[in-house]
PDB file of all heavy atoms in Angstrom:
ATOM      1  N   GLY A 319      25.677  -4.926-102.540  1.00  0.00           N
ATOM      2  CA  GLY A 319      25.395  -4.081-103.699  1.00  0.00           C
ATOM      3  C   GLY A 319      25.662  -2.614-103.444  1.00  0.00           C
ATOM      4  O   GLY A 319      26.445  -1.969-104.174  1.00  0.00           O
ATOM      5  N   PRO A 320      25.043  -1.999-102.427  1.00  0.00           N
ATOM      6  CA  PRO A 320      25.340  -0.587-102.143  1.00  0.00           C
ATOM      7  C   PRO A 320      26.796  -0.339-101.778  1.00  0.00           C
ATOM      8  O   PRO A 320      27.358   0.713-102.128  1.00  0.00           O
ATOM      9  CB  PRO A 320      24.414  -0.276-100.963  1.00  0.00           C
ATOM     10  CG  PRO A 320      23.274  -1.246-101.095  1.00  0.00           C
ATOM     11  CD  PRO A 320      23.900  -2.491-101.632  1.00  0.00           C
ATOM     12  N   ALA A 321      27.434  -1.300-101.076  1.00  0.00           N
ATOM     13  CA  ALA A 321      28.843  -1.118-100.735  1.00  0.00           C
ATOM     14  C   ALA A 321      29.714  -1.120-101.988  1.00  0.00           C
ATOM     15  O   ALA A 321      30.696  -0.363-102.070  1.00  0.00           O
ATOM     16  CB  ALA A 321      29.293  -2.210 -99.766  1.00  0.00           C
ATOM     17  N   LEU A 322      29.393  -1.954-102.953  1.00  0.00           N
ATOM     18  CA  LEU A 322      30.131  -1.957-104.219  1.00  0.00           C
ATOM     19  C   LEU A 322      30.059  -0.590-104.894  1.00  0.00           C
ATOM     20  O   LEU A 322      31.075  -0.062-105.373  1.00  0.00           O
ATOM     21  CB  LEU A 322      29.558  -3.036-105.145  1.00  0.00           C
ATOM     22  CG  LEU A 322      30.112  -4.452-105.025  1.00  0.00           C
ATOM     23  CD1 LEU A 322      29.340  -5.388-105.932  1.00  0.00           C
ATOM     24  CD2 LEU A 322      31.589  -4.489-105.341  1.00  0.00           C
ATOM     25  N   ALA A 323      28.861  -0.031-104.954  1.00  0.00           N
ATOM     26  CA  ALA A 323      28.703   1.280-105.579  1.00  0.00           C
ATOM     27  C   ALA A 323      29.502   2.343-104.841  1.00  0.00           C
ATOM     28  O   ALA A 323      30.083   3.249-105.455  1.00  0.00           O
ATOM     29  CB  ALA A 323      27.221   1.662-105.620  1.00  0.00           C
ATOM     30  N   GLU A 324      29.577   2.220-103.512  1.00  0.00           N
ATOM     31  CA  GLU A 324      30.327   3.205-102.721  1.00  0.00           C
ATOM     32  C   GLU A 324      31.830   3.080-102.969  1.00  0.00           C
ATOM     33  O   GLU A 324      32.522   4.085-103.168  1.00  0.00           O
ATOM     34  CB  GLU A 324      30.015   2.993-101.235  1.00  0.00           C
ATOM     35  CG  GLU A 324      30.731   3.950-100.304  1.00  0.00           C
ATOM     36  CD  GLU A 324      30.248   5.383-100.424  1.00  0.00           C
ATOM     37  OE1 GLU A 324      29.128   5.595-100.946  1.00  0.00           O
ATOM     38  OE2 GLU A 324      30.998   6.286-100.007  1.00  0.00           O
ATOM     39  N   TYR A 325      32.341   1.845-102.960  1.00  0.00           N
ATOM     40  CA  TYR A 325      33.781   1.657-103.151  1.00  0.00           C
ATOM     41  C   TYR A 325      34.213   1.983-104.584  1.00  0.00           C
ATOM     42  O   TYR A 325      35.346   2.438-104.800  1.00  0.00           O
ATOM     43  CB  TYR A 325      34.164   0.223-102.812  1.00  0.00           C
ATOM     44  CG  TYR A 325      34.128  -0.068-101.330  1.00  0.00           C
ATOM     45  CD1 TYR A 325      33.565  -1.236-100.849  1.00  0.00           C
ATOM     46  CD2 TYR A 325      34.672   0.822-100.412  1.00  0.00           C
ATOM     47  CE1 TYR A 325      33.521  -1.511 -99.485  1.00  0.00           C
ATOM     48  CE2 TYR A 325      34.630   0.563 -99.045  1.00  0.00           C
ATOM     49  CZ  TYR A 325      34.062  -0.596 -98.590  1.00  0.00           C
ATOM     50  OH  TYR A 325      34.021  -0.862 -97.250  1.00  0.00           O
ATOM     51  N   LEU A 326      33.340   1.748-105.553  1.00  0.00           N
ATOM     52  CA  LEU A 326      33.680   2.009-106.952  1.00  0.00           C
ATOM     53  C   LEU A 326      33.348   3.428-107.389  1.00  0.00           C
ATOM     54  O   LEU A 326      33.721   3.830-108.492  1.00  0.00           O
ATOM     55  CB  LEU A 326      32.927   1.018-107.855  1.00  0.00           C
ATOM     56  CG  LEU A 326      33.311  -0.450-107.725  1.00  0.00           C
ATOM     57  CD1 LEU A 326      32.324  -1.329-108.485  1.00  0.00           C
ATOM     58  CD2 LEU A 326      34.730  -0.682-108.230  1.00  0.00           C
ATOM     59  N   CYS A 327      32.578   4.167-106.546  1.00  0.00           N
ATOM     60  CA  CYS A 327      32.110   5.514-106.899  1.00  0.00           C
ATOM     61  C   CYS A 327      31.250   5.474-108.161  1.00  0.00           C
ATOM     62  O   CYS A 327      31.382   6.334-109.053  1.00  0.00           O
ATOM     63  CB  CYS A 327      33.290   6.481-107.076  1.00  0.00           C
ATOM     64  SG  CYS A 327      34.231   6.744-105.559  1.00  0.00           S
ATOM     65  N   PHE A 328      30.366   4.447-108.241  1.00  0.00           N
ATOM     66  CA  PHE A 328      29.441   4.303-109.356  1.00  0.00           C
ATOM     67  C   PHE A 328      28.038   4.689-108.906  1.00  0.00           C
ATOM     68  O   PHE A 328      27.728   4.702-107.703  1.00  0.00           O
ATOM     69  CB  PHE A 328      29.411   2.852-109.864  1.00  0.00           C
ATOM     70  CG  PHE A 328      30.642   2.429-110.611  1.00  0.00           C
ATOM     71  CD1 PHE A 328      30.769   1.128-111.069  1.00  0.00           C
ATOM     72  CD2 PHE A 328      31.668   3.317-110.868  1.00  0.00           C
ATOM     73  CE1 PHE A 328      31.900   0.729-111.760  1.00  0.00           C
ATOM     74  CE2 PHE A 328      32.804   2.931-111.556  1.00  0.00           C
ATOM     75  CZ  PHE A 328      32.921   1.634-112.006  1.00  0.00           C
ATOM     76  N   ALA A 329      27.203   4.990-109.884  1.00  0.00           N
ATOM     77  CA  ALA A 329      25.786   5.202-109.587  1.00  0.00           C
ATOM     78  C   ALA A 329      25.171   3.889-109.098  1.00  0.00           C
ATOM     79  O   ALA A 329      25.575   2.805-109.518  1.00  0.00           O
ATOM     80  CB  ALA A 329      25.061   5.708-110.819  1.00  0.00           C
ATOM     81  N   GLN A 330      24.183   3.999-108.220  1.00  0.00           N
ATOM     82  CA  GLN A 330      23.571   2.813-107.606  1.00  0.00           C
ATOM     83  C   GLN A 330      22.062   2.824-107.832  1.00  0.00           C
ATOM     84  O   GLN A 330      21.396   3.819-107.557  1.00  0.00           O
ATOM     85  CB  GLN A 330      23.868   2.786-106.110  1.00  0.00           C
ATOM     86  CG  GLN A 330      23.084   1.752-105.343  1.00  0.00           C
ATOM     87  CD  GLN A 330      23.111   2.000-103.857  1.00  0.00           C
ATOM     88  OE1 GLN A 330      23.949   2.734-103.357  1.00  0.00           O
ATOM     89  NE2 GLN A 330      22.192   1.391-103.135  1.00  0.00           N
ATOM     90  N   LEU A 331      21.524   1.693-108.337  1.00  0.00           N
ATOM     91  CA  LEU A 331      20.093   1.535-108.569  1.00  0.00           C
ATOM     92  C   LEU A 331      19.672   0.192-107.990  1.00  0.00           C
ATOM     93  O   LEU A 331      20.114  -0.856-108.459  1.00  0.00           O
ATOM     94  CB  LEU A 331      19.764   1.606-110.068  1.00  0.00           C
ATOM     95  CG  LEU A 331      20.142   2.925-110.766  1.00  0.00           C
ATOM     96  CD1 LEU A 331      20.008   2.792-112.268  1.00  0.00           C
ATOM     97  CD2 LEU A 331      19.269   4.059-110.255  1.00  0.00           C
ATOM     98  N   CYS A 332      18.827   0.223-106.969  1.00  0.00           N
ATOM     99  CA  CYS A 332      18.430  -0.994-106.260  1.00  0.00           C
ATOM    100  C   CYS A 332      17.020  -1.417-106.651  1.00  0.00           C
ATOM    101  O   CYS A 332      16.209  -0.605-107.119  1.00  0.00           O
ATOM    102  CB  CYS A 332      18.506  -0.784-104.752  1.00  0.00           C
ATOM    103  SG  CYS A 332      20.169  -0.447-104.148  1.00  0.00           S
ATOM    104  N   SER A 333      16.737  -2.702-106.434  1.00  0.00           N
ATOM    105  CA  SER A 333      15.409  -3.294-106.684  1.00  0.00           C
ATOM    106  C   SER A 333      14.924  -3.008-108.098  1.00  0.00           C
ATOM    107  O   SER A 333      13.810  -2.546-108.318  1.00  0.00           O
ATOM    108  CB  SER A 333      14.397  -2.786-105.655  1.00  0.00           C
ATOM    109  OG  SER A 333      14.762  -3.166-104.348  1.00  0.00           O
ATOM    110  N   VAL A 334      15.780  -3.296-109.072  1.00  0.00           N
ATOM    111  CA  VAL A 334      15.442  -3.055-110.483  1.00  0.00           C
ATOM    112  C   VAL A 334      14.547  -4.181-110.984  1.00  0.00           C
ATOM    113  O   VAL A 334      14.836  -5.363-110.780  1.00  0.00           O
ATOM    114  CB  VAL A 334      16.733  -2.962-111.326  1.00  0.00           C
ATOM    115  CG1 VAL A 334      16.402  -2.862-112.808  1.00  0.00           C
ATOM    116  CG2 VAL A 334      17.569  -1.769-110.871  1.00  0.00           C
ATOM    117  N   SER A 335      13.448  -3.811-111.644  1.00  0.00           N
ATOM    118  CA  SER A 335      12.528  -4.796-112.209  1.00  0.00           C
ATOM    119  C   SER A 335      12.541  -4.811-113.732  1.00  0.00           C
ATOM    120  O   SER A 335      12.013  -5.748-114.339  1.00  0.00           O
ATOM    121  CB  SER A 335      11.101  -4.524-111.718  1.00  0.00           C
ATOM    122  OG  SER A 335      10.675  -3.225-112.106  1.00  0.00           O
ATOM    123  N   HIS A 336      13.101  -3.792-114.357  1.00  0.00           N
ATOM    124  CA  HIS A 336      13.173  -3.725-115.828  1.00  0.00           C
ATOM    125  C   HIS A 336      14.414  -2.942-116.196  1.00  0.00           C
ATOM    126  O   HIS A 336      14.741  -1.929-115.562  1.00  0.00           O
ATOM    127  CB  HIS A 336      11.925  -3.071-116.404  1.00  0.00           C
ATOM    128  CG  HIS A 336      11.941  -2.976-117.902  1.00  0.00           C
ATOM    129  ND1 HIS A 336      11.798  -4.079-118.730  1.00  0.00           N
ATOM    130  CD2 HIS A 336      12.099  -1.914-118.717  1.00  0.00           C
ATOM    131  CE1 HIS A 336      11.855  -3.690-119.987  1.00  0.00           C
ATOM    132  NE2 HIS A 336      12.041  -2.388-120.008  1.00  0.00           N
ATOM    133  N   LEU A 337      15.117  -3.403-117.240  1.00  0.00           N
ATOM    134  CA  LEU A 337      16.396  -2.811-117.626  1.00  0.00           C
ATOM    135  C   LEU A 337      16.405  -2.543-119.122  1.00  0.00           C
ATOM    136  O   LEU A 337      16.034  -3.407-119.919  1.00  0.00           O
ATOM    137  CB  LEU A 337      17.546  -3.754-117.246  1.00  0.00           C
ATOM    138  CG  LEU A 337      18.950  -3.391-117.739  1.00  0.00           C
ATOM    139  CD1 LEU A 337      19.422  -2.087-117.106  1.00  0.00           C
ATOM    140  CD2 LEU A 337      19.924  -4.516-117.442  1.00  0.00           C
ATOM    141  N   GLU A 338      16.843  -1.331-119.499  1.00  0.00           N
ATOM    142  CA  GLU A 338      17.015  -0.953-120.903  1.00  0.00           C
ATOM    143  C   GLU A 338      18.360  -0.254-121.056  1.00  0.00           C
ATOM    144  O   GLU A 338      18.687   0.650-120.281  1.00  0.00           O
ATOM    145  CB  GLU A 338      15.891  -0.024-121.367  1.00  0.00           C
ATOM    146  CG  GLU A 338      14.504  -0.661-121.380  1.00  0.00           C
ATOM    147  CD  GLU A 338      13.436   0.309-121.824  1.00  0.00           C
ATOM    148  OE1 GLU A 338      13.795   1.463-122.176  1.00  0.00           O
ATOM    149  OE2 GLU A 338      12.250  -0.065-121.822  1.00  0.00           O
ATOM    150  N   ILE A 339      19.126  -0.685-122.050  1.00  0.00           N
ATOM    151  CA  ILE A 339      20.436  -0.093-122.340  1.00  0.00           C
ATOM    152  C   ILE A 339      20.305   0.798-123.569  1.00  0.00           C
ATOM    153  O   ILE A 339      19.645   0.432-124.548  1.00  0.00           O
ATOM    154  CB  ILE A 339      21.504  -1.170-122.574  1.00  0.00           C
ATOM    155  CG1 ILE A 339      21.537  -2.150-121.394  1.00  0.00           C
ATOM    156  CG2 ILE A 339      22.872  -0.542-122.773  1.00  0.00           C
ATOM    157  CD1 ILE A 339      22.000  -1.566-120.103  1.00  0.00           C
ATOM    158  N   SER A 340      20.921   1.953-123.534  1.00  0.00           N
ATOM    159  CA  SER A 340      20.859   2.873-124.670  1.00  0.00           C
ATOM    160  C   SER A 340      21.591   2.276-125.870  1.00  0.00           C
ATOM    161  O   SER A 340      22.498   1.452-125.714  1.00  0.00           O
ATOM    162  CB  SER A 340      21.479   4.219-124.288  1.00  0.00           C
ATOM    163  OG  SER A 340      22.864   4.060-124.035  1.00  0.00           O
ATOM    164  N   PRO A 341      21.210   2.663-127.083  1.00  0.00           N
ATOM    165  CA  PRO A 341      21.895   2.132-128.272  1.00  0.00           C
ATOM    166  C   PRO A 341      23.396   2.412-128.268  1.00  0.00           C
ATOM    167  O   PRO A 341      24.173   1.622-128.806  1.00  0.00           O
ATOM    168  CB  PRO A 341      21.198   2.857-129.436  1.00  0.00           C
ATOM    169  CG  PRO A 341      19.851   3.235-128.898  1.00  0.00           C
ATOM    170  CD  PRO A 341      20.058   3.514-127.450  1.00  0.00           C
ATOM    171  N   ALA A 342      23.810   3.512-127.671  1.00  0.00           N
ATOM    172  CA  ALA A 342      25.234   3.837-127.622  1.00  0.00           C
ATOM    173  C   ALA A 342      25.970   3.081-126.525  1.00  0.00           C
ATOM    174  O   ALA A 342      27.201   3.208-126.408  1.00  0.00           O
ATOM    175  CB  ALA A 342      25.421   5.337-127.419  1.00  0.00           C
ATOM    176  N   ARG A 343      25.226   2.312-125.703  1.00  0.00           N
ATOM    177  CA  ARG A 343      25.803   1.522-124.611  1.00  0.00           C
ATOM    178  C   ARG A 343      26.534   2.401-123.582  1.00  0.00           C
ATOM    179  O   ARG A 343      27.514   1.971-122.981  1.00  0.00           O
ATOM    180  CB  ARG A 343      26.793   0.470-125.147  1.00  0.00           C
ATOM    181  CG  ARG A 343      26.181  -0.526-126.117  1.00  0.00           C
ATOM    182  CD  ARG A 343      25.271  -1.496-125.393  1.00  0.00           C
ATOM    183  NE  ARG A 343      24.879  -2.607-126.224  1.00  0.00           N
ATOM    184  CZ  ARG A 343      23.769  -2.656-126.963  1.00  0.00           C
ATOM    185  NH1 ARG A 343      22.956  -1.610-126.974  1.00  0.00           N
ATOM    186  NH2 ARG A 343      23.475  -3.722-127.678  1.00  0.00           N
ATOM    187  N   ASP A 344      26.058   3.634-123.402  1.00  0.00           N
ATOM    188  CA  ASP A 344      26.689   4.522-122.426  1.00  0.00           C
ATOM    189  C   ASP A 344      25.730   4.976-121.330  1.00  0.00           C
ATOM    190  O   ASP A 344      26.113   5.752-120.446  1.00  0.00           O
ATOM    191  CB  ASP A 344      27.287   5.751-123.119  1.00  0.00           C
ATOM    192  CG  ASP A 344      26.232   6.569-123.851  1.00  0.00           C
ATOM    193  OD1 ASP A 344      25.091   6.065-124.014  1.00  0.00           O
ATOM    194  OD2 ASP A 344      26.538   7.700-124.265  1.00  0.00           O
ATOM    195  N   ALA A 345      24.478   4.506-121.364  1.00  0.00           N
ATOM    196  CA  ALA A 345      23.487   4.888-120.359  1.00  0.00           C
ATOM    197  C   ALA A 345      22.449   3.781-120.250  1.00  0.00           C
ATOM    198  O   ALA A 345      22.331   2.909-121.126  1.00  0.00           O
ATOM    199  CB  ALA A 345      22.821   6.219-120.713  1.00  0.00           C
ATOM    200  N   LEU A 346      21.701   3.803-119.176  1.00  0.00           N
ATOM    201  CA  LEU A 346      20.653   2.809-118.980  1.00  0.00           C
ATOM    202  C   LEU A 346      19.435   3.460-118.340  1.00  0.00           C
ATOM    203  O   LEU A 346      19.531   4.492-117.665  1.00  0.00           O
ATOM    204  CB  LEU A 346      21.152   1.641-118.124  1.00  0.00           C
ATOM    205  CG  LEU A 346      21.724   1.913-116.726  1.00  0.00           C
ATOM    206  CD1 LEU A 346      20.619   2.022-115.681  1.00  0.00           C
ATOM    207  CD2 LEU A 346      22.680   0.803-116.325  1.00  0.00           C
ATOM    208  N   THR A 347      18.293   2.837-118.574  1.00  0.00           N
ATOM    209  CA  THR A 347      17.024   3.253-117.978  1.00  0.00           C
ATOM    210  C   THR A 347      16.430   2.045-117.275  1.00  0.00           C
ATOM    211  O   THR A 347      16.324   0.970-117.880  1.00  0.00           O
ATOM    212  CB  THR A 347      16.046   3.770-119.043  1.00  0.00           C
ATOM    213  OG1 THR A 347      16.652   4.858-119.746  1.00  0.00           O
ATOM    214  CG2 THR A 347      14.748   4.239-118.389  1.00  0.00           C
ATOM    215  N   VAL A 348      16.055   2.211-116.024  1.00  0.00           N
ATOM    216  CA  VAL A 348      15.547   1.092-115.241  1.00  0.00           C
ATOM    217  C   VAL A 348      14.222   1.465-114.604  1.00  0.00           C
ATOM    218  O   VAL A 348      13.903   2.649-114.413  1.00  0.00           O
ATOM    219  CB  VAL A 348      16.556   0.676-114.143  1.00  0.00           C
ATOM    220  CG1 VAL A 348      17.885   0.297-114.740  1.00  0.00           C
ATOM    221  CG2 VAL A 348      16.728   1.781-113.102  1.00  0.00           C
ATOM    222  N   HIS A 349      13.444   0.431-114.295  1.00  0.00           N
ATOM    223  CA  HIS A 349      12.246   0.570-113.485  1.00  0.00           C
ATOM    224  C   HIS A 349      12.550  -0.021-112.114  1.00  0.00           C
ATOM    225  O   HIS A 349      12.971  -1.183-112.011  1.00  0.00           O
ATOM    226  CB  HIS A 349      11.070  -0.168-114.120  1.00  0.00           C
ATOM    227  CG  HIS A 349      10.646   0.406-115.427  1.00  0.00           C
ATOM    228  ND1 HIS A 349       9.466   0.046-116.060  1.00  0.00           N
ATOM    229  CD2 HIS A 349      11.229   1.323-116.249  1.00  0.00           C
ATOM    230  CE1 HIS A 349       9.353   0.700-117.199  1.00  0.00           C
ATOM    231  NE2 HIS A 349      10.421   1.483-117.334  1.00  0.00           N
ATOM    232  N   ARG A 350      12.320   0.750-111.076  1.00  0.00           N
ATOM    233  CA  ARG A 350      12.583   0.294-109.710  1.00  0.00           C
ATOM    234  C   ARG A 350      11.279  -0.041-109.000  1.00  0.00           C
ATOM    235  O   ARG A 350      10.276   0.661-109.150  1.00  0.00           O
ATOM    236  CB  ARG A 350      13.337   1.363-108.909  1.00  0.00           C
ATOM    237  CG  ARG A 350      14.731   1.654-109.416  1.00  0.00           C
ATOM    238  CD  ARG A 350      15.447   2.624-108.486  1.00  0.00           C
ATOM    239  NE  ARG A 350      15.538   2.075-107.135  1.00  0.00           N
ATOM    240  CZ  ARG A 350      15.009   2.659-106.055  1.00  0.00           C
ATOM    241  NH1 ARG A 350      14.326   3.780-106.166  1.00  0.00           N
ATOM    242  NH2 ARG A 350      15.142   2.094-104.872  1.00  0.00           N
ATOM    243  N   ARG A 351      11.317  -1.108-108.219  1.00  0.00           N
ATOM    244  CA  ARG A 351      10.158  -1.509-107.431  1.00  0.00           C
ATOM    245  C   ARG A 351      10.168  -0.760-106.109  1.00  0.00           C
ATOM    246  O   ARG A 351      11.133  -0.780-105.365  1.00  0.00           O
ATOM    247  CB  ARG A 351      10.192  -3.019-107.170  1.00  0.00           C
ATOM    248  CG  ARG A 351      10.140  -3.852-108.428  1.00  0.00           C
ATOM    249  CD  ARG A 351      10.370  -5.321-108.145  1.00  0.00           C
ATOM    250  NE  ARG A 351       9.314  -5.876-107.310  1.00  0.00           N
ATOM    251  CZ  ARG A 351       9.280  -7.143-106.929  1.00  0.00           C
ATOM    252  NH1 ARG A 351      10.229  -7.979-107.297  1.00  0.00           N
ATOM    253  NH2 ARG A 351       8.295  -7.582-106.187  1.00  0.00           N
ATOM    254  N   LEU A 352       9.044  -0.093-105.831  1.00  0.00           N
ATOM    255  CA  LEU A 352       8.888   0.629-104.583  1.00  0.00           C
ATOM    256  C   LEU A 352       7.822  -0.046-103.729  1.00  0.00           C
ATOM    257  O   LEU A 352       7.255  -1.071-104.109  1.00  0.00           O
ATOM    258  CB  LEU A 352       8.504   2.094-104.863  1.00  0.00           C
ATOM    259  CG  LEU A 352       9.463   2.881-105.778  1.00  0.00           C
ATOM    260  CD1 LEU A 352       8.956   4.296-105.965  1.00  0.00           C
ATOM    261  CD2 LEU A 352      10.871   2.901-105.203  1.00  0.00           C
ATOM    262  N   ASP A 353       7.559   0.517-102.581  1.00  0.00           N
ATOM    263  CA  ASP A 353       6.552  -0.038-101.687  1.00  0.00           C
ATOM    264  C   ASP A 353       5.162   0.133-102.279  1.00  0.00           C
ATOM    265  O   ASP A 353       4.894   1.050-103.068  1.00  0.00           O
ATOM    266  CB  ASP A 353       6.615   0.653-100.319  1.00  0.00           C
ATOM    267  CG  ASP A 353       7.925   0.358 -99.600  1.00  0.00           C
ATOM    268  OD1 ASP A 353       8.539  -0.678 -99.930  1.00  0.00           O
ATOM    269  OD2 ASP A 353       8.329   1.155 -98.734  1.00  0.00           O
ATOM    270  N   ARG A 354       4.254  -0.764-101.870  1.00  0.00           N
ATOM    271  CA  ARG A 354       2.840  -0.718-102.251  1.00  0.00           C
ATOM    272  C   ARG A 354       2.633  -0.816-103.754  1.00  0.00           C
ATOM    273  O   ARG A 354       1.684  -0.264-104.310  1.00  0.00           O
ATOM    274  CB  ARG A 354       2.174   0.554-101.711  1.00  0.00           C
ATOM    275  CG  ARG A 354       2.233   0.681-100.194  1.00  0.00           C
ATOM    276  CD  ARG A 354       1.591   1.953 -99.707  1.00  0.00           C
ATOM    277  NE  ARG A 354       1.670   2.059 -98.255  1.00  0.00           N
ATOM    278  CZ  ARG A 354       1.205   3.085 -97.555  1.00  0.00           C
ATOM    279  NH1 ARG A 354       0.647   4.115 -98.192  1.00  0.00           N
ATOM    280  NH2 ARG A 354       1.323   3.095 -96.244  1.00  0.00           N
ATOM    281  N   GLY A 355       3.534  -1.491-104.446  1.00  0.00           N
ATOM    282  CA  GLY A 355       3.359  -1.726-105.875  1.00  0.00           C
ATOM    283  C   GLY A 355       3.729  -0.562-106.770  1.00  0.00           C
ATOM    284  O   GLY A 355       3.527  -0.637-107.990  1.00  0.00           O
ATOM    285  N   ASP A 356       4.271   0.522-106.228  1.00  0.00           N
ATOM    286  CA  ASP A 356       4.667   1.665-107.053  1.00  0.00           C
ATOM    287  C   ASP A 356       5.931   1.344-107.842  1.00  0.00           C
ATOM    288  O   ASP A 356       6.708   0.466-107.474  1.00  0.00           O
ATOM    289  CB  ASP A 356       4.892   2.908-106.189  1.00  0.00           C
ATOM    290  CG  ASP A 356       3.611   3.401-105.535  1.00  0.00           C
ATOM    291  OD1 ASP A 356       2.531   3.110-106.086  1.00  0.00           O
ATOM    292  OD2 ASP A 356       3.685   4.054-104.476  1.00  0.00           O
ATOM    293  N   ARG A 357       6.125   2.077-108.929  1.00  0.00           N
ATOM    294  CA  ARG A 357       7.312   1.933-109.767  1.00  0.00           C
ATOM    295  C   ARG A 357       7.954   3.291-109.972  1.00  0.00           C
ATOM    296  O   ARG A 357       7.283   4.321-110.008  1.00  0.00           O
ATOM    297  CB  ARG A 357       6.952   1.309-111.136  1.00  0.00           C
ATOM    298  CG  ARG A 357       6.467  -0.135-111.059  1.00  0.00           C
ATOM    299  CD  ARG A 357       7.584  -1.064-110.639  1.00  0.00           C
ATOM    300  NE  ARG A 357       7.194  -2.458-110.686  1.00  0.00           N
ATOM    301  CZ  ARG A 357       6.649  -3.113-109.679  1.00  0.00           C
ATOM    302  NH1 ARG A 357       6.423  -2.476-108.525  1.00  0.00           N
ATOM    303  NH2 ARG A 357       6.334  -4.383-109.783  1.00  0.00           N
ATOM    304  N   GLU A 358       9.276   3.281-110.122  1.00  0.00           N
ATOM    305  CA  GLU A 358      10.040   4.501-110.356  1.00  0.00           C
ATOM    306  C   GLU A 358      10.943   4.278-111.561  1.00  0.00           C
ATOM    307  O   GLU A 358      11.663   3.285-111.618  1.00  0.00           O
ATOM    308  CB  GLU A 358      10.870   4.835-109.119  1.00  0.00           C
ATOM    309  CG  GLU A 358      11.673   6.115-109.257  1.00  0.00           C
ATOM    310  CD  GLU A 358      12.508   6.387-108.013  1.00  0.00           C
ATOM    311  OE1 GLU A 358      13.315   5.508-107.643  1.00  0.00           O
ATOM    312  OE2 GLU A 358      12.365   7.474-107.428  1.00  0.00           O
TER     313      GLU A 358
END
């Protein structure tokens, strides 16, 4: 996964637990799982 983002020069978001796509389909908002149950 991270290697794909590096070779493609794309943004990288790991350990995603929730995904939302913007109505214009040009951006996304995600919730990431962190240690000790935290979310980002």
Side-chain angles (χ1 to χ4, degrees):
L322 273 175
E324 180 69 19
Y325 288 136
L326 294 170
C327 296
F328 288 177
Q330 169 196 343
L331 300 170
C332 297
S333 298
V334 174
S335 60
H336 180 71
L337 172 65
E338 295 179 3
I339 306 293
S340 65
R343 300 288 191 267
D344 60 348
L346 57 84
T347 302
V348 302
H349 295 192
R350 295 185 59 240
R351 298 172 64 180
L352 304 180
D353 294 337
R354 301 179 181 179
D356 294 335
R357 294 292 186 270
E358 182 181 57

